[in-house]
Amino acid sequence: QVQVVESGGGLVQAGGSLRLSCTTSGLPFGDYNMGWIRQAPGKEREGVSCISRNGRSTVYLDSVKGRFTISRDNAKNTLYLQMNSLKPEDTAMYYCAAVRSGTYWSLNPRGYTHWGQGTQVTVSS
């Protein structure tokens, strides 16, 4: 059974930092492209960043470029999102998602096949 579990969310003041983590089990992590997707209250889900299975390719939402960094450790089956200079508009539930490499490469959330339950990030002004 595939499990995707996020951690690291919390409450932080504007300008602060958080590091999200996502661990997976039940799937060959190194064969999967991974993404971070967020959903703010009353808004649709939007892709924040994605990373190729080997970590060599990354894509970022324009509004987080220069502030967020996605990375992965295939030996630990873990995905990360380092978030710096956080803004109130970054407040959202953040989800980790996976899709087999070679089948989908996009920030668009609709193509991901495995999802976690999410971790809440709240940025106060």
Side-chain angles (χ1 to χ4, degrees):
Q1 182 178 357
V2 175
Q3 287 190 316
V4 180
V5 180
E6 304 94 337
S7 62
L11 173 63
V12 63
Q13 288 188 331
S17 298
L18 283 174
R19 188 194 197 200
L20 305 184
S21 298
C22 167
T23 59
T24 71
S25 60
L27 58 77
F29 185 75
D31 289 343
Y32 278 70
N33 297 332
M34 301 295 296
W36 287 101
I37 290 91
R38 68 186 181 187
Q39 187 168 23
K43 295 187 177 181
E44 294 186 352
R45 289 186 177 184
E46 66 175 355
V48 174
S49 184
C50 60
I51 187 168
S52 61
R53 66 181 183 90
N54 57 16
R56 292 175 183 170
S57 297
T58 58
V59 180
Y60 293 93
L61 183 68
D62 282 348
S63 62
V64 307
K65 285 181 181 177
R67 301 189 297 122
F68 291 9
T69 303
I70 192 171
S71 62
R72 64 190 295 162
D73 185 338
N74 286 355
K76 296 181 178 179
N77 289 359
T78 302
L79 175 73
Y80 303 99
L81 185 67
Q82 178 66 45
M83 305 186 294
N84 298 329
S85 302
L86 282 161
K87 303 176 181 180
E89 51 264 43
D90 295 318
T91 295
M93 185 71 78
Y94 283 71
Y95 298 90
C96 172
V99 62
R100 186 172 286 276
S101 177
T103 64
Y104 191 74
W105 176 244
S106 174
L107 283 180
N108 192 316
R110 66 182 178 182
Y112 290 86
T113 56
H114 299 86
W115 291 76
Q117 294 300 306
T119 186
Q120 177 68 37
V121 172
T122 303
V123 184
S124 63
S125 57

